[in-house]
Amino acid sequence: MAVPFNIQVYFYIFFAILYSAGTHNKKRNADIINNLLQQPGWKNINDVKHIKYRTKDIYPNEIINKPVTLYNCNNYVRHGSIFLGCSYTQDLNVMFFTLYNFYEHCFKLLKSDKVRAHKCTVTLLAKIIDIVPMAKLMEGALNAIEQCHNKPMNIQRKHCVILSDVLTYLKENEHLKKLIPLSIDKDSINAALFKIQKYISRMKLELEENVRFCELISLDLFSLWNLWNMEFNTLNFQGIYQELFIFLSDKINDLILTIICKKYIELGFKFDLNTCQTFLPTPQSNDNQDTTQNPINMIQYATEVNAMKKIVQEYIIQYKNSINLVQPTNEVDKQDGIKKDDVMCEAKDDSNLQIEYTDNMRPYYEFI
C-alpha cells in the first residue's frame, strides 16, 4: 500500500507544481507586450497610484519598462490593461464632470432664454456624439492588449475587460442623435436635456463599477471648474468667447484630443484606417539579441507618432462626416472653423491669459 500511496502523492505534487507555474504565453505575444510597455508615453501616465489585481497592489514601476517574457506575459497583459483602464477612468471622470456642468448650464439658460438654451443643448448633443471616436479608440486599445493573453477576457462570457460596459454605453447614443434637429420650444429642449441628464448619470454609475480596480491620484474637479470659469471670464472680457457653452465645447475638444494623443497614439497603439481596428505592432526581433533590452529609437518613435496622429485625425473626420447633423449655430461654426487649422495635439497657447495658477490648480493638460 505504501508504494501506490507514494505514487499518488507524487502525482498530486507534480500537478500542483504544474498548476502553480501556470501556462506560459507565446514569444511573439511577449515581444509585442514588451515593445508596447517600453514606449515612452507610458512613463507620462501619472494619474494612477496603483492598480489592484488578485488582491495585490501593483505599482506603475512594476508594469512599465520591465522585461516581459513568455513566462510572465499573461500577468503583464492584465497589469497593462488594468493600468491603462484606470487611467482612462480618470479621464472619463473629468469628461463626465464637464458634460454634467455643461448640461446644468443649458438647463439654467432654459429658464430665461430658450434660444440660447436651444443653441447650448444642440452644442452639448454634438459634443456627446464627438466622444464616440475616442471611446472606440479606448476600447480598441484595451482589447488589443487583452488579445495577447492566453485567455483573453473579451472573448469570455464570464469576464469583461475593464471599462467595457462604460465604453459600450458611450457608443450607444442613437437615441440622442434622433433629437437633432431640435425644435426651439421649451418642452422639446427640456425633454432633450432630461434624456442627456439620464445618459450622463448612467455613464457615471457605470464608471464607478471600475474604480474598485484603481487607486487614482486625487484630482479636485471643483477647483478645475472654478479655474475654467476664471479663464472664461478673462476670455469673455477680451471678446474671444461670448457664450460659456462655446467655451465648454472647445474644452471638451481639447480633452478628447489630449486623451487620444497621450493615452493612445503616444503609448504605441496603431490604427488601421481600412478596418477601423486597433492593433499592436510586432517588433522586428533579432534572434541573436535579447529583444527585452532593445532601446527605443526616439527618431523613429517620433516619426511613427506623427504618422499615427494623421491617421487617427482622418478617422475622426470620416466619422464626423458620416453623421448627418445640422450645424448648431453660427457661433459654433465660427469656433470650429478656427479649430480646423489646428494641428492635432498642439499645445494651446495661454500666454495671453492673466490667470495665475497655484500648484494645486494647474490646467488640466498638465495632469496628463
Side-chain angles (χ1 to χ4, degrees):
M1 290 295 293
V3 174
F5 175 76
N6 288 337
I7 293 174
Q8 191 176 27
V9 169
Y10 294 143
F11 181 80
Y12 285 134
I13 291 174
F14 170 76
F15 276 98
I17 294 173
L18 185 64
Y19 177 80
S20 63
T23 304
H24 63 73
N25 209 313
K26 299 175 182 178
K27 185 178 184 300
R28 177 181 178 275
N29 288 341
D31 289 345
I32 289 173
I33 295 298
N34 181 74
N35 179 68
L36 179 74
L37 296 178
Q38 283 194 3
Q39 298 301 310
W42 287 87
K43 291 184 178 180
N44 296 326
I45 298 179
N46 57 5
D47 48 13
V48 180
K49 286 184 180 179
H50 61 261
I51 65 170
K52 299 172 184 179
Y53 180 68
R54 290 183 175 176
T55 71
K56 289 182 63 178
D57 293 339
I58 311 294
Y59 290 83
N61 61 358
E62 299 176 63
I63 303 171
I64 300 168
N65 215 21
K66 296 285 186 179
V68 179
T69 69
L70 53 89
Y71 300 103
N72 63 18
C73 180
N74 284 336
N75 282 337
Y76 274 93
V77 166
R78 291 285 148 80
H79 295 169
S81 62
I82 295 174
F83 178 60
L84 181 57
C86 288
S87 187
Y88 283 160
T89 297
Q90 186 78 303
D91 295 325
L92 292 174
N93 273 325
V94 177
M95 185 68 72
F96 297 160
F97 177 82
T98 307
L99 289 173
Y100 194 83
N101 280 277
F102 201 141
Y103 148 78
E104 287 195 325
H105 175 64
C106 295
F107 191 75
K108 289 178 183 177
L109 288 177
L110 185 59
K111 297 178 181 178
S112 58
D113 190 331
K114 69 177 182 181
V115 174
R116 291 173 66 205
H118 174 266
K119 294 177 181 179
C120 181
T121 305
V122 174
T123 305
L124 176 54
L125 285 168
K127 289 303 103 181
I128 292 175
I129 293 167
D130 282 349
I131 293 173
V132 173
M134 180 197 74
K136 289 184 176 180
L137 293 173
M138 284 179 164
E139 182 182 58
L142 295 173
N143 285 337
I145 297 175
E146 191 62 32
Q147 284 298 320
C148 290
H149 197 282
N150 280 349
K151 297 180 179 179
M153 282 187 177
N154 52 344
I155 62 173
Q156 296 184 52
R157 294 182 179 179
K158 293 182 179 180
H159 306 285
C160 293
V161 179
I162 185 171
L163 289 181
S164 60
D165 291 339
V166 180
L167 297 176
T168 297
Y169 193 68
L170 262 175
K171 296 182 300 178
E172 295 174 353
N173 55 21
E174 293 297 326
H175 61 295
L176 296 181
K177 293 179 187 177
K178 293 177 181 178
L179 295 173
I180 302 176
L182 181 65
S183 300
I184 308 179
D185 66 79
K186 282 194 173 183
D187 289 341
S188 297
I189 298 169
N190 189 63
L193 288 172
F194 177 74
K195 290 183 179 180
I196 291 172
Q197 189 270 338
K198 284 184 64 178
Y199 179 77
I200 297 171
S201 298
R202 166 76 181 275
M203 289 190 295
K204 290 170 69 176
L205 285 174
E206 293 284 355
L207 191 63
E208 289 175 5
E209 291 293 316
N210 295 273
V211 177
R212 68 182 187 274
F213 299 109
C214 317
E215 186 66 32
L216 302 173
I217 300 294
S218 178
L219 181 61
D220 190 347
L221 293 175
F222 293 99
S223 294
L224 177 66
W225 179 248
N226 291 334
L227 182 145
W228 280 356
N229 274 299
M230 290 168 54
E231 186 179 341
F232 169 73
N233 290 333
T234 302
L235 293 170
N236 179 263
F237 179 77
Q238 296 174 356
I240 298 174
Y241 284 100
Q242 294 181 348
E243 293 284 2
L244 178 60
F245 62 83
I246 302 295
F247 172 82
L248 292 176
S249 173
D250 286 347
K251 281 298 179 187
I252 291 173
N253 286 341
D254 292 342
L255 289 174
I256 291 171
L257 293 180
T258 301
I259 291 167
I260 291 173
C261 288
K262 301 295 183 183
K263 305 289 181 72
Y264 182 89
I265 296 172
E266 294 181 12
L267 298 187
F269 295 101
K270 304 298 180 183
F271 187 78
D272 188 331
L273 194 56
N274 294 320
T275 63
C276 292
Q277 298 293 322
T278 298
F279 67 96
L280 301 181
T282 302
Q284 294 180 353
S285 60
N286 187 335
D287 293 337
N288 297 323
Q289 293 181 340
D290 181 1
T291 57
T292 63
Q293 301 299 326
N294 286 344
I296 296 293
N297 184 321
M298 294 306 295
I299 297 177
Q300 181 181 355
Y301 168 75
T303 302
E304 291 177 353
V305 165
N306 289 331
M308 191 50 54
K309 285 178 184 178
K310 293 178 181 179
I311 292 172
V312 172
Q313 198 166 24
E314 186 175 344
Y315 163 64
I316 293 173
I317 293 171
Q318 286 183 4
Y319 175 80
K320 287 186 177 182
N321 291 339
S322 68
I323 300 174
N324 185 19
L325 294 178
V326 176
Q327 290 296 323
T329 66
N330 289 333
E331 290 177 281
V332 176
D333 288 345
K334 181 179 178 182
Q335 294 295 334
D336 285 346
I338 295 172
K339 288 283 181 181
K340 284 177 183 177
D341 294 330
D342 292 348
V343 178
M344 192 177 190
C345 296
E346 186 175 348
K348 188 177 180 181
D349 183 7
D350 291 331
S351 58
N352 63 327
L353 300 184
Q354 302 301 313
I355 299 175
E356 192 170 329
Y357 298 112
T358 59
D359 289 339
N360 63 341
M361 289 178 59
R362 292 172 291 165
Y364 171 79
Y365 52 79
E366 290 191 11
F367 287 93
I368 58 177

